[in-house]
């Protein structure tokens, strides 16, 4: 048990990578939500000069009512526009997974500060045994749905 707790961070990262691989290779419809983010970012930043794709950037939502994403998430997606869409999608998936790992570690650090030193081992064990399923589900959902706006909330 002591070794598991000592190596909890590499174990949590392994669970997160497994969840991300599982989510990226799970069944997805042909048009994923990432393509909506990608389309909206390209129309807003690059293609707005073409009238057929939406006209001025502020007309993005009027001409494309199926785009239900706020501008902050579109601008985050626009940060990877210089990459091919599949590579940008993978980069955003890795960043979202890394933020999930960081969140679990931050919760553990907060608990270590709040709890007395006698409970340190218990907090570390809880991080491992509750963080592992969390870090399978989080990257699975980020790899499957790729909702940048949910991550920003």
């Amino acid at each position: 048990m002591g070794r598991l707790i000592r190596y909890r961070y590499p174990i949590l990262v392994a669970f997160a990578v497994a969840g991300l691989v599982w989510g990226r290779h799970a069944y997805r419809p042909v048009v994923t939500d990432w393509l909506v983010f990608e389309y909206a970012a390209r129309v807003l930043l690059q293609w707005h000069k073409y009238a057929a794709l939406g006209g001025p950037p502020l007309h993005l939502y009027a001409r494309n009512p199926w785009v239900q994403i706020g501008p902050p998430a579109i601008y985050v997606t626009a940060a990877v526009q210089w990459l091919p869409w599949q590579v940008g999608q993978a980069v955003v998936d890795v960043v979202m997974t890394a933020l999930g790992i960081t969140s679990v570690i931050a919760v553990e650090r907060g608990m270590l500060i709040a709890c007395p030193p006698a409970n340190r081992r218990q907090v570390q064990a809880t991080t491992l045994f509750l963080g592992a399923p969390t870090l399978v589900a989080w990257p699975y959902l980020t790899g499957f749905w790729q909702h940048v706006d949910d991550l920003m909330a």
Side-chain angles (χ1 to χ4, degrees):
M1 184 66 147
R3 282 194 173 154
L4 281 177
I5 292 174
R6 186 176 328 140
Y7 297 114
R8 68 190 175 282
Y9 297 139
I11 292 170
L12 291 174
V13 169
F15 274 95
V17 169
L20 181 60
V21 169
W22 181 30
R24 291 209 24 107
H25 294 299
Y27 171 75
R28 290 190 281 195
V30 175
V31 178
T32 65
D33 293 340
W34 175 256
L35 294 179
V36 176
F37 284 95
E38 185 78 21
Y39 173 82
R42 289 187 189 269
V43 168
L44 192 62
L45 298 176
Q46 298 172 5
W47 297 340
H48 57 82
K49 57 186 171 249
Y50 304 115
L53 292 174
L58 294 178
H59 291 180
L60 170 69
Y61 298 104
R63 298 216 179 173
N64 303 294
W66 50 271
V67 175
Q68 299 291 317
I69 306 161
I74 293 174
Y75 285 120
V76 168
T77 306
V80 294
Q81 290 296 302
W82 55 277
L83 297 168
W85 73 268
Q86 298 95 337
V87 177
Q89 179 183 28
V91 167
V92 170
D93 284 347
V94 168
V95 168
M96 288 193 291
T97 300
L99 288 174
I101 295 167
T102 305
S103 297
V104 169
I105 293 171
V107 168
E108 180 197 36
R109 298 295 166 114
M111 288 303 298
L112 287 173
I113 291 170
C115 289
N119 294 346
R120 181 178 181 86
R121 200 76 158 160
Q122 183 180 4
V123 169
Q124 293 170 341
T126 302
T127 299
L128 177 62
F129 293 115
L130 294 181
T134 301
L135 287 177
V136 170
W138 175 269
Y140 173 81
L141 293 173
T142 61
F144 190 85
W145 294 109
Q146 296 147 350
H147 280 202
V148 178
D149 53 346
D150 293 341
L151 178 72
M152 296 174 64

